Amino acid sequence: MTMNSADVTAGADGKASDFVALRKDVLTGNKNLNTETDGATVTFDLDNSAIQEVVLEGNRTLAVSNMTAGQVLIIRLVQDATGSRTVTWWSTIKWADNVAPTLTTTATKTDLIGILCTGSGTYDGAVIVQNI
């Protein structure tokens, strides 16, 4: 990414360097795909990445940590070779029509889910694509 003087606004203390670093973090963020370890509870830690995946080897409870208002999390849920795995979402996600999505349960298929943090502990969730 190339930045120039038009990209920089000085803060109250006149230090533009703080804003350059902030803008770079906002624009680039940590967008590496992070693979979480499968387990009874899978916690997606946004300190690791905003793009997370897990291969579901059983029915799982999902949780999130270190997510703040305005952050977006993309979750890649992959069925293992057995399939038919389900998840229980954390309770403070608002879904369309107040119904959490039904996952694709075909073996080795993937669903992508998007989560937007709307405030302290509150989230909006949406299906990006299923059965891929």
Side-chain angles (χ1 to χ4, degrees):
M1 178 176 82
T2 302
M3 296 184 72
N4 57 46
S5 60
D7 295 319
V8 180
T9 304
D13 62 0
K15 293 175 71 178
S17 60
D18 293 336
F19 286 92
V20 171
L22 177 62
R23 180 169 173 148
K24 183 177 179 185
D25 287 346
V26 168
L27 291 177
T28 60
N30 186 350
K31 296 178 183 167
N32 296 317
L33 179 62
N34 182 66
T35 302
E36 287 293 337
T37 303
D38 183 55
T41 299
V42 178
T43 301
F44 301 109
D45 184 348
L46 268 79
D47 280 353
N48 295 329
S49 180
I51 305 171
Q52 303 266 344
E53 77 173 346
V54 64
V55 176
L56 300 170
E57 297 177 2
N59 297 334
R60 303 298 185 225
T61 299
L62 304 181
V64 66
S65 66
N66 298 311
M67 191 169 187
T68 58
Q71 284 187 299
V72 174
L73 168 63
I74 297 173
I75 302 172
R76 185 172 187 263
L77 297 171
V78 182
Q79 294 286 336
D80 67 0
T82 301
S84 298
R85 310 305 190 178
T86 62
V87 299
T88 301
W89 297 94
W90 59 99
S91 63
T92 56
I93 303 174
K94 292 182 183 177
W95 300 99
D97 298 321
N98 294 315
V99 178
T102 300
L103 297 183
T104 302
T105 55
T106 306
T108 71
K109 291 295 186 175
T110 299
D111 293 341
L112 291 180
I113 307 295
I115 306 289
L116 169 67
C117 183
T118 57
S120 180
T122 58
Y123 309 90
D124 289 344
V127 172
I128 297 172
V129 65
Q130 291 188 293
N131 199 31
I132 55 175

